[in-house]
Amino acid sequence: MIQVQNLTKSYGSVVAVGGISFEVHEGEIFGMVGPNGAGKTTTIECIEGLRRPDGGSVRLLETDPWQKRQAIASRIGIQLQESALPPRLRVAEALDLFGSFYEHRADAEELLDTLGLTEKRSSAFGKLSGGQKQRLFIALALVNQPEVVFFDELTTGLDPQARRSMWDLVRQIRERGCTVFLTTHFMEEAERLCDRVLIIDRGQIVALDTPEALVRSLGAEKRLVFTLPEHQTCPPLLHLPQVQRVEQSGERMVVYGHGERFAGTVLDALEDAGVHFLDLRTEQPNLEDVFIALTGREMRE
């Protein structure tokens, strides 16, 4: 569905995208993640035909999206990172307006129902909540029954409940036969939704695989987290072969290690020392650990 070969894009002396290549397969949810300024939005806009690459090639539905922008527009849907509509434009009017741009269009009432906007069909855009506005923009991206839909930071600014609802909607969109390309800052979102994830940093691809394979490749430590009651001290644990390091912040303890018997060995040592721990939980490596390991912890603009 999408083929990117040696894509490059610069803004003056700043290299936004530095010669990346990848493919997106039909029917998958493909995610692209990276720090601020990594080149995500530039890449997705080049694929959509909204920005002209400096070099390399992009094929979207076997077509050059920059050279054939008008032809490709009727076959794709786009939800931009920042979007707006006139405050007085009503929800149903927006769907009618956008639907009028295309020869083939989805049923507006069905879209409203699927996206939970039926009761808001007569509401003005300016009166909608943040989640309702996002759902409307999804509806507008789907109004032409696209073969590929792009979501750029779909759930930024939404509360956890609205974010989970959006995830369900993305899965429904894929189940209807649409290929989904999304960018996100939320590692949990990429891990829960995506069939494959591309991690980009400073305009270069640093990893591309399924979330599960990326986590396995990290070889990250397991974590055992617990709280010590007041006046309790933690016994030495570093002598245990499964334990690699121990961090303490006040009464909170984090023990890092490997192996199937890691948690059991640590718990046995605590019980043998008579330590009464609270709020015990184990944490497995996840995509966020992969992301931090590959891109670092520094703040970026």
Side-chain angles (χ1 to χ4, degrees):
M1 303 298 275
I2 299 170
Q3 296 173 317
V4 177
Q5 292 291 328
N6 300 317
L7 175 65
T8 62
K9 182 65 181 179
S10 299
Y11 304 103
S13 61
V14 177
V15 178
V17 182
I20 64 174
S21 302
F22 63 92
E23 295 181 348
V24 178
H25 306 143
E26 183 176 1
E28 74 175 336
I29 300 177
F30 184 91
M32 182 166 58
V33 301
N36 291 335
K40 299 187 301 298
T41 296
T42 295
T43 298
I44 199 172
E45 288 182 349
C46 287
I47 296 171
E48 294 163 342
L50 298 177
R51 197 172 294 276
R52 185 174 189 170
D54 293 336
S57 66
V58 177
R59 306 291 289 182
L60 172 57
L61 298 171
E62 301 182 347
T63 302
D64 184 324
W66 178 258
Q67 297 293 336
K68 304 291 185 179
R69 179 75 185 95
Q70 188 170 355
I72 207 71
S74 64
R75 303 175 64 190
I76 66 172
I78 299 175
Q79 173 265 328
L80 299 172
Q81 188 171 351
E82 294 184 10
S83 304
L85 292 171
R88 294 186 179 182
L89 185 67
R90 301 184 185 278
V91 169
E93 292 173 339
L95 280 172
D96 287 341
L97 174 63
F98 277 67
S100 69
F101 301 154
Y102 304 102
E103 180 180 354
H104 302 288
R105 55 187 294 184
D107 182 272
E109 296 302 322
E110 182 180 349
L111 277 179
L112 290 173
D113 182 60
T114 300
L115 292 159
L117 291 171
T118 301
E119 295 183 358
K120 297 293 181 179
R121 65 184 324 281
S122 298
S123 298
F125 175 78
K127 298 294 185 180
L128 300 179
S129 68
Q132 290 165 348
K133 289 178 180 178
Q134 284 289 64
R135 279 182 275 154
L136 175 57
F137 288 128
I138 292 177
L140 298 179
L142 299 176
V143 73
N144 60 323
Q145 298 179 309
E147 298 169 58
V148 182
V149 64
F150 296 88
F151 295 132
D152 194 1
E153 302 293 349
L154 176 65
T155 61
T156 297
L158 299 184
D159 60 59
Q161 183 182 33
R163 185 173 298 127
R164 297 298 177 95
S165 296
M166 289 295 179
W167 295 354
D168 290 339
L169 287 172
V170 171
R171 294 187 186 101
Q172 290 175 31
I173 291 167
R174 193 263 294 278
E175 289 170 2
R176 295 184 176 191
C178 189
T179 300
V180 178
F181 188 116
L182 63 87
T183 71
T184 180
H185 276 102
F186 299 105
M187 295 303 105
E188 183 186 8
E189 182 166 287
E191 194 164 6
R192 293 285 191 91
L193 279 180
C194 297
D195 299 300
R196 291 189 299 142
V197 176
L198 181 156
I199 301 178
I200 186 171
D201 190 24
R202 295 184 171 93
Q204 298 289 336
I205 296 173
V206 295
L208 172 57
D209 213 326
T210 66
E212 296 82 6
L214 289 172
V215 172
R216 284 197 306 269
S217 69
L218 180 63
E221 307 143 320
K222 299 177 182 178
R223 298 183 289 270
L224 190 67
V225 183
F226 57 90
T227 301
L228 292 173
E230 192 174 358
H231 306 307
Q232 283 268 351
T233 58
C234 185
L237 297 172
L238 290 176
H239 69 282
L240 300 173
Q242 294 87 352
V243 174
Q244 294 202 304
R245 57 194 174 99
V246 179
E247 294 180 357
Q248 181 170 3
S249 178
E251 298 173 347
R252 183 176 183 270
M253 302 291 302
V254 184
V255 185
Y256 297 83
H258 288 282
E260 294 182 4
R261 285 286 301 154
F262 163 64
T265 301
V266 173
L267 293 178
D268 288 344
L270 294 174
E271 291 178 355
D272 291 345
V275 174
H276 301 288
F277 46 83
L278 304 172
D279 304 325
L280 176 72
R281 70 178 186 276
T282 59
E283 296 179 352
Q284 298 295 322
N286 55 32
L287 194 58
E288 184 170 332
D289 296 313
V290 178
F291 181 82
I292 295 297
L294 294 175
T295 64
R297 295 174 177 270
E298 72 270 22
M299 294 291 290
R300 304 186 193 175
E301 295 297 334

